Amino acid sequence: MSLAIETRRLTRDFGDFRAVDGIDLRVERGTFYGFLGPNGAGKSTTIKMLTGLLGPSEGEVYVLGRDVLDPAQALDAKRHIGVIAENLSLFDNLTAREYLTFVGRMHLMPRDTIRARSAELLDLLGLADEETKLTMEYSHGMKKKLALAAALLPNPDLLFLDEPFEGVDAITSRVIRDLLAGFVARGSTVFLTSHVLEIVEKLCTHVGIIVGGRLTEQASLETIRQGDTLENRFIQLAGSDAAEAPKLAWLEAAQ
């Protein structure tokens, strides 16, 4: 099977700190890949390098068969990907439809296609009745849904999602989950980071685990789980000892 993402010795340094340390990712097309790790493990830095937002210190990056370090190939790759970044960056003084129109034009989409897809996405995501509001007036969950609409608008072959479920309510979470499941079912690829392991376990077909900037595991979800829950396996593979619950001496004394 061809690869949607491939990296070779991908590394990123920030001064003396090595955030990502020589990782070799292999993400097959048509898979739902969960990229997991503790806070500060290098997940967001990796996504930024995969999407061309940040250059690596060393290594190679291939997205949809294009060399991301080659400017011409990188531009071509970006035409076929959608991204929800770690920090949502929406234009505060635009309405949802205006924002989607801007995104569509950046992708050189025909105006009729932009209008039709925008209307469908806004309706499906429950934002159709909020069209007159500026995005600065949106709640966090509404901004997440608009960011997802913008990522899906150009009908990408590969979707990068950095914590898309963070801070959203149960209804919004279900809408996003159903949309993403359908996206993968039609043959596209999703690369997801999330701390909500229950959602990862429900959605993902493959998992990679990064700890301290190093890729420690990469396999199918069932291989990673080994008959256990993903949460238990993640805690084991991330190097944490959860055998005994942590205790606070002052609470123990109060008992």
Side-chain angles (χ1 to χ4, degrees):
M1 184 178 289
S2 62
L3 296 177
I5 301 170
E6 181 180 13
T7 70
R8 301 170 188 167
R9 304 177 304 282
L10 184 62
T11 302
R12 176 65 198 197
D13 297 326
F14 294 96
D16 295 331
F17 174 66
R18 177 151 290 185
V20 176
D21 191 3
I23 65 173
D24 296 325
L25 283 170
R26 292 177 59 86
V27 180
E28 296 178 351
R29 292 183 187 243
T31 58
F32 203 130
Y33 190 99
F35 192 50
L36 310 180
N39 289 331
K43 302 185 299 297
S44 295
T45 299
T46 299
I47 282 190
K48 288 175 183 176
M49 289 190 286
L50 295 176
T51 56
L53 296 174
L54 186 67
S57 301
E58 300 174 26
E60 303 172 47
V61 187
Y62 299 91
V63 171
L64 299 173
R66 286 87 164 175
D67 182 354
V68 174
L69 302 185
D70 177 273
Q73 293 188 51
L75 181 60
D76 187 40
K78 289 176 183 178
R79 294 191 178 103
H80 300 276
I81 67 174
V83 183
I84 296 183
E86 177 186 20
N87 299 314
L88 294 177
S89 298
L90 306 177
F91 293 107
D92 288 346
N93 293 311
L94 297 181
T95 65
R97 188 174 289 272
E98 289 170 340
Y99 178 67
L100 292 180
T101 299
F102 169 78
V103 171
R105 295 303 295 159
M106 288 292 290
H107 281 271
L108 305 180
M109 295 170 57
R111 292 185 183 276
D112 289 345
T113 302
I114 296 172
R115 280 194 292 269
R117 290 185 185 176
S118 294
E120 187 175 9
L121 284 164
L122 292 174
D123 183 58
L124 186 62
L125 290 167
L127 295 175
D129 294 333
E130 308 292 342
E131 283 195 55
T132 59
K133 287 185 178 180
L134 300 179
T135 60
M136 70 171 68
E137 302 175 78
Y138 276 17
S139 68
H140 183 72
M142 291 167 65
K143 289 181 178 180
K144 285 278 186 179
K145 289 194 284 188
L146 180 55
L148 178 60
L152 291 173
L153 183 70
N155 194 24
D157 296 315
L158 172 59
L159 197 56
F160 290 96
L161 305 174
D162 197 350
E163 295 292 351
F165 300 99
E166 185 180 37
V168 301
D169 59 58
I171 296 174
T172 299
S173 176
R174 180 62 180 268
V175 169
I176 293 175
R177 282 165 46 197
D178 289 347
L179 263 178
L180 296 180
F183 184 75
V184 173
R186 62 134 201 194
S188 298
T189 308
V190 172
F191 188 89
L192 164 78
T193 74
S194 178
H195 291 299
V196 187
L197 297 185
E198 295 87 352
I199 290 177
V200 173
E201 198 161 13
K202 288 179 180 177
L203 288 175
C204 292
T205 58
H206 292 72
V207 171
I209 297 177
I210 184 172
V211 180
R214 296 183 178 181
L215 192 66
T216 60
E217 296 286 337
Q218 180 174 223
S220 69
L221 175 64
E222 292 308 313
T223 299
I224 292 286
R225 287 177 57 189
Q226 296 184 1
D228 203 345
T229 66
L230 180 60
E231 180 182 29
N232 287 341
R233 288 292 294 148
F234 173 74
I235 290 172
Q236 294 168 12
L237 294 169
S240 298
D241 184 6
E244 183 177 347
K247 298 177 181 179
L248 292 172
W250 54 273
L251 284 181
E252 291 292 308
Q255 296 177 3

